[in-house]
Amino acid sequence: MLKVVVIEDEELVRRGIVMAVDWASVDCKVVGEASNGEAGLEEIRRLRPDIVVTDIRMPRMDGLEMLRRLREEGCGVSVILLTAYSDFSYAQAALKLGAVDYLLKPFHDGELEAAVQRIAERGRVRTKPGDFAEISSKNRYVTGAVDYINANYGDPELGVSAVARSVDISEGHLSHLFKKETGYTLTGYITACRMHMAMHLLLSLIHISEPTRLGMIS
């Protein structure tokens, strides 16, 4: 069974991750938790977990700084970063420090378990387009909107109006339905989709470049 440490400054969010996530289903057990990066660093050193789930923005020491210090100490623990901020620079910094996944809050039921399962099965996350959020809805407007966004996330002109036109419904009505059915705002889902794909691309580039560097050494 894999050991997990959860680091999150918002107590309700932290307790939700510890208590509501189905850790047993992915053969994991939460062995420790902390409310900031400084305390989290000590917990990781003490408990030597297999996986760390941590927020990025926290008091006293943020998640990225904590991860940087762990790597400097030679700690190779698998880290899943959580954040409510969709700044691509976070994703870049996370990957450079060896994070294996990056989830935008609020994440949906099953997303964290899926990220942990990928770590358990492969050691490193290898995602594919469209699997970052399992959207389940019987509403044809919502499913149509999800399909359109997943197919056109790379279009810089993609926005609420374009999505609404694609399913032939008003922006206001679609926005209401989408939020009710998925928990995401339309803009939030578009951003999450783009962030996920950016992470996928960066991971692919890292995996491609690694053999090249090894070949140059030999």
Side-chain angles (χ1 to χ4, degrees):
M1 181 169 283
L2 298 176
K3 297 187 297 182
V4 180
V5 167
V6 177
I7 306 166
E8 164 66 61
D9 62 312
E10 295 183 52
E11 184 174 1
L12 288 178
V13 175
R14 188 174 72 254
R15 298 311 302 161
I17 294 172
V18 172
M19 303 301 294
V21 171
D22 188 1
W23 294 108
S25 70
V26 286
D27 196 31
C28 289
K29 178 181 179 180
V30 176
V31 296
E33 56 185 282
S35 60
N36 62 71
E38 190 173 281
L41 193 61
E42 293 303 316
E43 284 292 273
I44 295 166
R45 289 166 175 162
R46 181 174 69 88
L47 296 168
R48 299 183 178 276
D50 302 289
I51 298 172
V52 170
V53 179
T54 180
D55 193 12
I56 289 184
R57 290 198 176 186
M58 297 183 292
R60 302 181 72 173
M61 183 187 296
D62 66 30
L64 291 176
E65 175 61 19
M66 182 189 72
L67 179 53
R68 185 185 67 78
R69 294 196 185 189
L70 286 171
R71 297 309 188 225
E72 287 179 348
E73 294 173 7
C75 177
V77 65
S78 296
V79 176
I80 299 172
L81 288 167
L82 311 175
T83 183
Y85 302 91
S86 56
D87 187 335
F88 184 51
S89 64
Y90 284 138
Q92 290 178 305
L95 281 175
K96 287 178 180 178
L97 291 169
V100 296
D101 217 334
Y102 177 100
L103 299 180
L104 285 175
K105 297 190 291 186
F107 48 87
H108 287 239
D109 290 346
E111 281 191 89
L112 185 51
E113 291 95 328
V116 171
Q117 188 63 42
R118 288 192 291 265
I119 291 172
E121 291 177 351
R122 306 183 185 106
R124 299 285 294 183
V125 62
R126 283 176 173 82
T127 57
K128 62 181 181 296
D131 72 353
F132 76 99
E134 292 295 332
I135 299 297
S136 176
S137 174
K138 295 180 180 179
N139 187 288
R140 65 185 180 90
Y141 295 116
V142 173
T143 56
V146 168
D147 289 342
Y148 185 81
I149 293 169
N150 287 343
N152 296 277
Y153 65 88
D155 183 353
E157 300 300 319
L158 180 65
V160 175
S161 60
V163 178
R165 284 196 303 271
S166 75
V167 294
D168 196 24
I169 190 176
S170 71
E171 294 179 30
H173 193 189
L174 179 59
S175 295
H176 173 74
L177 285 174
F178 201 90
K179 177 66 174 178
K180 180 181 178 182
E181 292 282 323
T182 72
Y184 283 96
T185 64
L186 271 168
T187 301
Y189 184 82
I190 291 170
T191 300
C193 187
R194 285 171 170 162
M195 288 291 296
H196 174 81
M197 293 308 301
M199 286 287 289
H200 173 73
L201 176 60
L202 283 171
L203 283 167
S204 297
L205 290 173
I206 288 173
H207 292 313
I208 290 170
S209 63
E210 193 65 30
T212 301
R213 288 199 298 270
L214 292 173
M216 290 175 65
I217 292 173
S218 62

